[in-house]
Amino acid sequence: MKPKLVPLRYERPSLPEVAARARSFFEMMNRRRTVRDFSPERVPAGVIEDLVRAASTAPSGAHRQPWTFVAVSDPDIKRRIRIAAEREERENYGGRMPDEWLRALEPLGTDEHKPFLEIAPWLVVLFRQNYGVGPDGEHVRHYYVSESVGIAAGLFLTAVHQAGLVALTHTPSPMGFLREILNRPDNETACLLIPVGYPAADARVPDLRRKPLADVLQILPE
Ligand code: IYR
């Protein structure tokens, strides 16, 4: 099949403008923090729709867009998710995670209690589609699913932050319960549970430092 190519819509900024935008975007992103203390204040569904529209612009293997976002504000479903997540996390913190892992989490202060799963106005669950399903039920191959879904998750978190909201990348493990509670098909596996909303007025976060650039970037030639 011959590809259908259309002109790129692109406006070239001046080099000083490029440099200024790169710096100011970094400064904005450097204020992003993972937040565990949410306000129950409501966020309209239309906002979540636009955040997912932004996330869904992610590049993906063969443009298969192998993700499904499920956004939950229903209090009963949120409660069921909290109960199931805390059941797994009690096992995790009570012996399923080895000591080395528990020690690695100590600076974060996390434990098996997940009240944010009921307090945050939205729980956005990101599912990876291991394969697609065509109009006649046939399986469609997906490519680079982990990479594609990881990029979509990153864009979603970026969109949440730039909109002025906060999020938590929560990974209750194992998270098979999400497919059951949310009635998702066999081709989907939940990979992130992302509460989204406003931070509580007294929200606190761990005093984390990011690695210096030299530890994460090598420029060649030096
Ligand atoms: N899933 C658990 C444990 C946990 C694991 C990692 I790696 C973290 O960065 C944070 C928590 C929980 O959500 O508490």
Side-chain angles (χ1 to χ4, degrees), residues 2-22:
K2 227 173 130 253
K4 176 171 179 264
L5 301 179
V6 295
L8 174 67
R9 286 197 305 161
Y10 174 76
E11 278 174 44
R12 186 189 164 112
S14 70
L15 186 50
E17 180 66 21
V18 168
R21 285 199 215 172

Side-chain angles (χ1 to χ4, degrees), residues 5-189:
L5 301 179
V6 295
L8 174 67
R9 286 197 305 161
Y10 174 76
E11 278 174 44
R12 186 189 164 112
S14 70
L15 186 50
E17 180 66 21
V18 168
R21 285 199 215 172
R23 171 51 55 122
S24 75
F25 189 70
F26 157 63
E27 286 170 352
M28 191 272 287
M29 287 310 293
N30 202 27
R31 292 192 291 271
R32 188 201 59 79
R33 293 300 311 261
T34 288
V35 169
R36 292 184 169 76
D37 302 329
F38 284 83
S39 155
E41 268 166 283
R42 140 174 212 291
V43 170
V47 171
I48 301 297
E49 288 176 5
D50 278 341
L51 299 175
V52 173
R53 282 190 175 99
S56 209
T57 67
S60 60
H63 193 52
R64 293 283 148 89
Q65 303 186 107
W67 47 72
T68 307
F69 291 80
V70 179
V72 180
S73 65
D74 181 283
D76 293 329
I77 303 177
K78 291 197 312 194
R79 168 161 310 174
R80 289 176 61 201
I81 290 174
R82 176 184 181 180
I83 289 168
E86 288 185 333
R87 184 177 302 135
E88 295 294 358
E89 296 294 7
R90 266 196 302 279
E91 299 282 331
N92 292 335
Y93 285 90
R96 202 155 59 184
M97 287 192 285
D99 280 349
E100 187 188 14
W101 192 347
L102 291 172
R103 274 197 307 277
L105 295 182
E106 272 169 16
L108 304 181
T110 57
D111 61 24
E112 66 272 37
H113 302 292
K114 306 298 180 190
F116 50 75
L117 293 174
E118 287 191 86
I119 297 171
W122 289 99
L123 302 181
V124 176
V125 185
L126 176 50
F127 287 85
R128 52 177 283 149
Q129 298 172 356
N130 303 301
Y131 53 89
V133 181
D136 302 317
E138 74 279 17
H139 291 192
V140 177
R141 237 200 109 155
H142 282 171
Y143 304 92
Y144 297 102
V145 175
S146 303
E147 292 83 350
S148 304
V149 173
I151 296 167
L155 293 190
F156 182 74
L157 297 173
T158 303
V160 167
H161 175 64
Q162 100 71 53
L165 299 173
V166 297
L168 164 60
T169 37
H170 178 39
T171 50
S173 167
M175 44 179 123
F177 64 88
L178 289 167
R179 179 169 53 206
E180 281 160 41
I181 293 176
L182 300 174
N183 268 314
R184 299 307 306 167
D186 288 349
N187 62 321
E188 295 188 1
T189 310

